[in-house]
Amino acid sequence: MSVVLRAAGALDAGAVGGILSEFIDETAWMPRLHSRAQDISFAGDMIARGWVQVAITRSGVAGFLARDQAEVHALYVARAARRCGVGAALLTAAQAHARMLRLWTFQANVGAQAFYAAHGFREVQRSDGSRNDEGLPDIELTWEREAA
């Protein structure tokens, strides 16, 4: 699958919010805390801050990564584009522009844990979920560029 990465623009908010909503809708353990319209608004806010890079395929926006400096706030790929290199392209690009990255993923998201481990992330700590809106136990992961 051919993937082109670019900075997200305001008109990408619907697609980005839709990808986020799709994940929430299809993930049994993930509570829906916000409406789909709020997901789009949240996407628009992240885009306005300059945090979002989108992956474009022939089908349009296939995934996104939201990052503020070293903090990765979100990495989601549309269902139809999963396991096709979209997430890897987004994460590899972020790693190319950072010395260190940090993120949280839910303990229930074993697929994400395996994905991040394959990209060099290591577990730093676990929490009981009291620090996130969903109230779900999570894991902090970090990646650091190896010294040359």
Side-chain angles (χ1 to χ4, degrees):
M1 177 177 288
S2 176
V3 179
V4 175
L5 305 180
R6 67 165 170 78
L11 295 178
D12 295 316
V16 169
I19 291 169
L20 176 60
S21 285
E22 177 184 61
F23 176 80
I24 293 167
D25 290 344
E26 70 184 18
T27 305
W29 49 261
M30 178 65 87
R32 175 160 284 288
L33 302 178
H34 307 287
S35 70
R36 286 164 190 76
Q38 288 171 316
D39 289 344
I40 293 169
S41 177
F42 176 65
D45 289 344
M46 291 190 298
I47 291 168
R49 291 181 177 141
W51 292 358
V52 180
Q53 185 171 46
V54 291
I56 308 297
T57 65
R58 287 189 353 201
S59 304
V61 176
F64 72 95
L65 185 143
R67 175 174 68 94
D68 179 21
Q69 305 295 326
E71 187 76 23
V72 176
H73 292 277
L75 172 54
Y76 291 92
V77 175
R79 179 187 322 111
R82 290 185 195 142
R83 303 199 187 286
C84 295
V86 172
L90 287 162
L91 188 57
T92 299
Q95 288 173 315
H97 294 97
R99 183 189 61 75
M100 187 266 266
L101 295 173
R102 178 179 54 246
L103 59 87
W104 289 85
T105 190
F106 296 110
Q107 290 181 29
N109 196 343
V110 294
Q113 292 171 51
F115 172 79
Y116 291 122
H119 286 86
F121 282 75
R122 64 178 182 76
E123 183 176 325
V124 175
Q125 65 176 318
R126 290 179 178 242
S127 91
D128 62 3
S130 60
R131 61 162 292 285
N132 64 61
D133 292 341
E134 295 82 2
L136 298 174
D138 55 3
I139 304 170
E140 182 182 19
L141 304 171
T142 61
W143 167 85
E144 290 190 51
R145 180 184 316 281
E146 293 184 18

